[in-house]
Amino acid sequence: MKVVGLITEYNPFHNGHYHHITEARSLTGADYCVVVMSGNYVQRGAPALLDKYTRAKMALACGADLVLELPVCFSSASAEYFSMGAVSILENIGVIDYLCFGSECGKIDTLKEASDILLTEPPLFKKILNESLKAGKTFPQARMEALRMFMPQADISIFSSPNNILGMEYIKALTSLNSRIIPVTIPRIASGYHKEALNEGVDSVISSATAIRRAVRNKTPITDLINHVPKEVFPLLSSTYNKTWPVFEEDFSLLLQYKLMAETSASLTKYLDVTPDLANRIKGLMEPGFSYVEAAKAMKSRQWTLTRINRSLLHILLNITEDSMKQYKANGYAQYGRILGIKRTSSPLLRTMAKKSKLPLITKVGGTANKLSKTAQSMLNEELCSTALYNEVVYNKFGILPKSEYKQGIVLQD
């Protein structure tokens, strides 16, 4: 049995994701494809456009055999924690042979070279990094400068392109965990990660998730997306549109206002990614009436990227603390493997996982907590609370209350 693992968000699932699954299976000869997917909150520090169960259905309909949830503490975190959380799940479920990811670079040896530098952090690398940080550059910019000094012949885009950065972190995570999983990359095609306009075409167009979200935000007719997503996905999009999605940052604005009113600059520093300087900036610039998006833009500076601000605000809102992340890190990162969905034909895979997994596998929440360690219970409680908040926002926006985590079963796909 060969199994390939993918780390994803599917926010939303589009033709590029279908290409990724197809190519991953083809390149590795895998019998099964296991996906670790962000839940209801994603890495750029925002709620997912659609809920995790709908996105799991899309993945299973388009070639995935099993979908596992990436806990919110990792799904909303920096590239390093995002990667370590997801890779720790793939490593510890005991069945993954390959990790396949898309990259702008498309060259695994180049990404491995860069990841080794990031992992070992030679003295000169640290020196350049610290000097760049002192000069007022953001951490991503400072790290890019340091890497460039060690790899002068490499294409400069490798150090700044989003999927390259994640690819380097995935490889770094595999090395840190002494994993036997083999990393494989495929070139990202057709549309840049941040491209905001839909590509044109009449069939199977590959547009970025950013472009699709922007089109939805601009109230583009849902029918205009039909060529940008697989045929299996569009019915799920159209049948739930304006019923349970779209969900945006602005829908959490009042919640954020209330949360920040109840905090002081000192208390804010307990949350993940919130330094004392950033805490002062958040409290000093948050104005009554600001939406979530307006607040983040006001707080952005040369020192802090918009993504960093968004993540920090989300961690504050969801009560994700620095101490809890330290606890998870000390205990091996992910504490369980939570199954969101599976194909009925993939029962042999699930049976093998049940025998080999070093992590407890969760198929339903009810009665689970008593079987978990205290650290795992803490991680699961974060997930349950963050999902309850997401569901409440959906209810207040559309008048439809999604099932609670205690009543929602896993997605079973024929």
Side-chain angles (χ1 to χ4, degrees):
M1 178 190 295
K2 286 186 181 179
V3 185
V4 62
L6 311 182
I7 300 170
T8 69
E9 290 188 328
Y10 296 155
N11 188 37
F13 196 104
H14 57 65
N15 290 330
H17 297 134
Y18 181 81
H19 171 78
H20 181 203
I21 291 178
T22 303
E23 284 296 297
R25 299 187 80 120
S26 175
L27 281 172
T28 62
D31 302 297
Y32 295 103
C33 175
V34 172
V35 168
V36 174
M37 185 188 77
S38 298
N40 286 333
Y41 302 88
V42 295
Q43 208 236 340
R44 62 190 180 89
L49 192 69
L50 299 94
D51 72 90
K52 58 191 176 185
Y53 293 104
T54 302
R55 286 160 36 239
K57 288 178 185 177
M58 293 174 177
L60 293 169
C62 293
D65 295 292
L66 177 72
V67 180
L68 296 162
E69 181 175 38
L70 180 61
V72 66
C73 56
F74 303 120
S75 73
S76 64
S78 67
E80 180 179 11
Y81 284 141
F82 178 92
S83 301
M84 285 299 302
V87 171
S88 68
I89 293 174
L90 292 176
E91 170 65 15
N92 288 311
I93 60 174
V95 297
I96 305 299
D97 299 292
Y98 302 94
L99 167 58
C100 183
F101 55 89
S103 66
E104 292 84 0
C105 170
K107 298 176 181 177
I108 198 70
D109 289 341
T110 304
L111 294 172
K112 281 183 177 178
E113 182 182 355
S115 73
D116 286 343
I117 296 168
L118 294 178
L119 187 62
T120 57
E121 290 193 335
L124 180 58
F125 176 90
K126 287 184 178 180
K127 180 174 182 292
I128 298 169
L129 178 69
N130 290 330
E131 287 175 351
S132 297
L133 289 171
K134 287 178 182 177
K137 293 184 178 179
T138 64
F139 182 79
Q141 290 171 336
R143 193 167 74 162
M144 182 174 69
E145 290 291 329
L147 274 173
R148 191 185 301 165
M149 289 294 293
F150 277 81
M151 300 175 63
Q153 305 304 319
D155 182 346
I156 191 172
S157 68
I158 187 179
F159 307 125
S160 58
S161 300
N163 290 287
N164 287 343
I165 292 170
L166 280 174
M168 289 185 278
E169 290 292 347
Y170 294 152
I171 297 170
K172 179 180 157 191
L174 289 171
T175 304
S176 298
L177 296 172
N178 295 314
S179 176
R180 64 174 184 82
I181 296 172
I182 299 169
V184 178
T185 190
I186 59 173
R188 185 180 176 89
I189 63 172
S191 186
Y193 182 89
H194 289 304
K195 186 176 179 182
E196 294 187 348
L198 294 172
N199 285 334
E200 296 181 0
V202 294
D203 187 38
S204 296
V205 185
I206 295 183
S207 294
S208 70
T210 300
I212 294 173
R213 290 193 301 270
R214 183 180 178 85
V216 172
R217 186 183 289 276
N218 292 339
K219 301 190 183 301
T220 298
I222 192 71
T223 50
D224 287 5
L225 300 180
I226 194 167
N227 294 324
H228 300 267
V229 299
K231 65 182 186 301
E232 297 86 353
V233 166
F234 186 74
L236 286 167
L237 282 178
S238 58
S239 64
T240 54
Y241 180 60
N242 278 336
K243 294 179 181 177
T244 58
W245 78 282
V247 176
F248 297 114
E249 295 96 313
E250 297 94 305
D251 299 318
F252 290 74
S253 295
L254 280 177
L255 292 167
L256 179 64
Q257 285 275 1
Y258 171 76
K259 181 68 170 161
L260 291 179
M261 282 192 293
E263 300 280 353
T264 65
S265 292
S267 68
L268 285 176
T269 60
K270 70 183 177 185
Y271 297 108
L272 186 63
D273 284 334
V274 183
T275 63
D277 286 347
L278 181 54
N280 288 332
R281 187 170 182 82
I282 290 171
K283 285 297 287 185
L285 293 179
M286 189 67 182
E287 295 285 345
F290 264 6
S291 71
Y292 199 116
V293 173
E294 289 168 339
K297 286 181 178 178
M299 295 165 195
K300 178 182 176 294
S301 69
R302 190 175 67 159
Q303 183 179 1
W304 292 294
T305 65
L306 186 59
T307 301
R308 169 67 183 275
I309 296 294
N310 280 327
R311 285 187 196 128
S312 299
L313 294 177
L314 188 60
H315 294 153
I316 293 167
L317 185 61
L318 300 181
N319 292 317
I320 297 173
T321 66
E322 193 77 40
D323 284 347
S324 64
M325 184 59 84
K326 287 179 181 177
Q327 182 183 19
Y328 304 148
K329 183 178 178 180
N331 286 275
Y333 293 92
Q335 301 297 298
Y336 54 78
R338 187 178 179 200
I339 299 171
L340 292 180
I342 187 172
K343 280 186 177 174
R344 294 182 189 275
T345 55
S346 300
S347 54
L349 172 66
L350 191 57
R351 285 196 297 270
T352 303
M353 275 177 54
K355 292 177 182 177
K356 293 187 174 184
S357 179
K358 297 176 183 177
L359 297 175
L361 300 176
I362 299 174
T363 55
K364 57 183 178 181
V365 174
T368 297
N370 295 334
K371 302 174 184 178
L372 298 176
S373 68
K374 287 186 177 180
T375 303
Q377 288 178 35
S378 174
M379 184 175 288
L380 181 60
N381 284 337
E382 283 179 351
E383 196 62 53
L384 299 180
C385 289
S386 68
T387 296
L389 190 67
Y390 186 96
N391 289 349
E392 190 67 28
V393 166
V394 169
Y395 175 71
N396 278 281
K397 186 172 184 178
F398 302 110
I400 295 175
L401 184 63
K403 289 182 180 179
S404 76
E405 292 283 70
Y406 292 93
K407 294 180 180 180
Q408 174 71 58
I410 66 171
V411 176
L412 294 174
Q413 187 84 21
D414 291 325

